[in-house]
Amino acid sequence: PESLSTINAAPGRLVIDCQPWAHVYIDSQLRNTTPLQEAILLWPGEHEIQLMHPNLPSYVQNIRIEAGQDYHLAVTLYSYLVCNIYPWGDVYLNDELLGQTPFSTLPIAPGEHVLTVKNQQYGSVTRGFAIAPGDTFFFTLNFEQKKMNSAGADE
């Protein structure tokens, strides 16, 4: 049978699910890139986990690993934008054209943004918003009524 000191020295296993992909740094050292094929083995103690994608803000978390334990970390680095525009609109995020509605949910970087919706017949509407990683910003606009409705906005 294993001695108590051998059991205490067993590494913990960390499984990371990250959307989208990211480079995995543990204690400032590049260890892998998601999606992971197997768990990362970590010695017991405190570790800094950093997930980095070149086009999105980094995710950093400290985790305490216990001997022989399994850990699961699920992270979403991007946020989502849902637009419901009537009759239609060209949607710009920070002056970059995302497309013309209707379109499905779009992944966007978290942070502060300026959303502009343009329609040749009705003009344009601009709205600033901030969004956290993993959250969804819903924006609804009826150009015929010039009525905006979005999460957290006054009507």
Side-chain angles (χ1 to χ4, degrees):
E2 292 183 349
S3 70
L4 187 57
S5 62
T6 304
I7 293 170
N8 287 340
R13 292 171 300 282
L14 175 64
V15 173
I16 300 173
D17 292 319
C18 183
Q19 296 297 322
W21 67 269
H23 296 299
V24 178
Y25 290 83
I26 298 177
D27 301 325
S28 301
Q29 293 186 343
L30 178 62
R31 289 285 298 268
N32 213 323
T33 299
T34 63
L36 300 177
Q37 301 303 312
E38 55 191 43
I40 296 172
L41 300 179
L42 295 173
W43 292 111
E46 190 84 18
H47 296 278
E48 181 187 78
I49 312 299
Q50 185 173 21
L51 304 176
M52 296 180 68
H53 185 282
N55 301 321
L56 297 168
S58 296
Y59 174 89
V60 178
Q61 179 178 329
N62 288 327
I63 187 168
R64 180 152 195 74
I65 300 294
E66 301 294 336
Q69 296 296 310
D70 291 336
Y71 300 87
H72 183 254
L73 181 61
V75 177
T76 300
L77 295 178
Y78 49 54
S79 305
Y80 303 94
L81 173 64
V82 175
C83 291
N84 185 4
I85 312 297
Y86 181 80
W88 62 269
D90 291 323
V91 178
Y92 295 81
L93 191 66
N94 306 323
D95 295 324
E96 182 179 323
L97 179 63
L98 295 181
Q100 187 177 90
T101 61
F103 52 71
S104 60
T105 302
L106 296 176
I108 62 172
E112 294 187 13
H113 298 284
V114 176
L115 178 71
T116 302
V117 182
K118 298 179 182 179
N119 179 301
Q120 292 174 338
Q121 183 177 353
Y122 297 104
S124 68
V125 170
T126 299
R127 167 86 156 68
F129 69 96
I131 188 165
D135 284 353
T136 301
F137 182 75
F138 295 90
F139 183 82
T140 300
L141 171 63
N142 184 331
F143 270 117
E144 290 180 347
Q145 298 175 359
K146 280 286 191 181
K147 181 178 181 181
M148 272 193 305
N149 183 1
S150 58
D154 295 328
E155 290 191 86

